[in-house]
Amino acid sequence: MALTGNQVDQFEAAMPRLKAIAYRLLGSASDAEDAVQDTFLRWQAADIDRIQVPEAWLTKVLTNLCLNELTSARARRETYVGQWLPEPLLAGDPMLGPADTAEQRESVSFAVLALMERLSPNERVVYVLREAFGYPHRRIAEILDITEASAQQILHRARKHIAAGRARTEIDEAAARRIVEEFLTAATSGRTEPLVELLTADVIAVGDGGGKAPARAKAFEGAAAVATFMRSLFTPNQAARRLIGGTAEVHLSSANGRPALVVLVGGRVIGVICPEITPDGIAAFRSQVNPDKLERATRHWASTDHGAPLLRIDPEA
């Protein structure tokens, strides 16, 4: 069925919000794009004149598509090579969505997106719609075909799961950026002691290579182990040569609303390192190095100006 200009405009007006919801639900920009495209196809086939509230209809269709994808994704994760981490979105990417409140900013942070993998599909939907987009429980209940009381209970469980994985609060962005700069200085010093001082005792480092880029299947745990690993990444050595494959440029930027290190070789993003920074120190490093999950980051990076890198790593030095 051909859409009128007004009906196309209605969908396009809703599209930024639909993409932001889908990304938070799926942790993948490419999957989010697919879900929004499928929503458009259903909009195109619907009897739109009978739809009283287009925004609510579109949200429900999108959410159901994402629920189906989340269910199938759980099965795929069982055969995924190594650790699975979300696809990072760099500063200025419109898919990041609203960032006016602390809840909205937190809901798209790399740390929380990784933690949301622990939630059931329904818990993830309720958490995202309520925390990031302020949907009332009544609306969420209608979207999921559950009672309002059930929606409230699901949100309580989801918040509890997220809080259990985040024992500390993060610090403000300016302070976090200073700590990341200190980390780079320490990592390139060739010594582990300065690095250890910046880390929490129970810090972890995990990477997602998807079987297509070097990444350890098991996380590094503890300050000494993580400091040794990070020192090896940022100083020229045989391991860096195998991992980088050329002279790398390291920029201090932002991913998912938090300070992050973006690593490029020949203009292509080969890694995005997202530190989780707390008042006690750096509690985690989550590094996305799967090239399939960095294509959008590379395109976005090429379209903006970032200035000179903070660090160049020549593996032949």
Side-chain angles (χ1 to χ4, degrees):
M1 181 183 298
L3 297 176
T4 67
N6 181 58
Q7 290 166 345
V8 171
D9 290 344
Q10 283 180 309
F11 186 84
E12 289 183 347
M15 192 157 54
R17 179 181 50 80
L18 295 175
K19 287 184 178 181
I21 291 173
Y23 173 71
R24 284 166 167 81
L25 290 179
L26 302 176
S28 164
S30 57
D31 288 346
E33 294 275 10
D34 290 343
V36 173
Q37 178 61 30
D38 287 345
T39 302
F40 176 74
L41 294 176
R42 283 158 175 75
W43 175 251
Q44 194 174 34
D47 186 354
I48 297 176
D49 291 336
R50 301 185 62 181
I51 297 173
Q52 295 182 347
V53 186
E55 184 267 345
W57 188 93
L58 290 169
T59 302
K60 182 165 185 172
V61 170
L62 175 83
T63 300
N64 284 326
L65 288 168
C66 289
L67 280 170
N68 292 337
E69 175 62 22
L70 285 169
T71 301
S72 61
R74 287 191 162 217
R76 293 198 304 272
R77 302 277 161 78
E78 293 178 1
T79 59
Y80 191 82
V81 178
Q83 302 278 347
W84 186 96
L85 289 174
E87 179 179 351
L89 297 182
L90 301 184
D93 193 310
M95 197 175 281
L96 288 168
D100 298 326
T101 68
E103 291 79 10
Q104 289 172 338
R105 292 189 293 272
E106 182 167 276
S107 71
V108 79
S109 72
F110 215 67
V112 169
L113 284 178
L115 285 173
M116 279 200 275
E117 290 296 304
R118 303 179 182 185
L119 305 183
S120 71
N122 271 9
E123 286 173 344
R124 190 159 183 163
V125 167
V126 173
Y127 184 84
V128 166
L129 292 181
R130 180 65 178 172
E131 296 293 282
F133 296 91
Y135 278 57
H137 287 294
R138 174 182 55 78
R139 290 273 308 282
I140 296 172
E142 292 170 354
I143 289 170
L144 292 176
D145 293 321
I146 59 177
T147 66
E148 190 170 341
S150 294
Q152 292 172 332
Q153 291 170 357
I154 291 171
L155 178 65
H156 176 73
R157 290 200 302 270
R159 284 174 171 167
K160 188 175 181 180
H161 290 320
I162 295 294
R166 301 199 70 198
R168 310 174 183 89
T169 58
E170 294 195 15
I171 63 177
D172 68 83
E173 183 175 353
R177 291 180 73 88
R178 287 196 299 271
I179 290 175
V180 174
E181 290 174 347
E182 290 176 16
F183 161 76
L184 264 186
T185 300
T188 55
S189 71
R191 299 168 54 236
T192 58
E193 293 82 359
L195 274 171
V196 170
E197 292 177 1
L198 294 171
L199 310 177
T200 63
D202 57 351
V203 62
I204 64 167
V206 58
D208 176 353
K212 300 183 178 183
R216 192 180 182 204
K218 186 179 179 183
F220 290 92
E221 299 181 3
V226 170
T228 301
F229 170 64
M230 285 296 170
R231 184 192 64 186
S232 72
L233 284 184
F234 289 97
T235 53
N237 54 59
Q238 289 293 333
R241 186 174 294 115
R242 291 193 300 270
L243 181 65
I244 296 172
T247 299
E249 296 182 341
V250 182
H251 290 258
L252 174 55
S253 185
S254 173
N256 294 70
R258 299 288 195 274
L261 295 171
V262 180
V263 186
L264 296 97
V265 171
R268 178 173 59 88
V269 177
I270 66 163
V272 177
I273 302 173
C274 300
E276 183 177 355
I277 304 172
T278 76
D280 300 322
I282 302 175
F285 293 94
R286 297 179 178 87
S287 303
Q288 184 55 261
V289 294
N290 183 342
D292 292 344
K293 297 182 182 182
L294 294 173
E295 292 178 359
R296 183 183 181 94
T298 295
R299 293 195 301 271
H300 184 75
W301 188 270
S303 68
T304 53
D305 180 27
H306 301 278
L310 286 182
L311 174 68
R312 282 188 172 88
I313 304 173
D314 182 358
E316 300 299 328

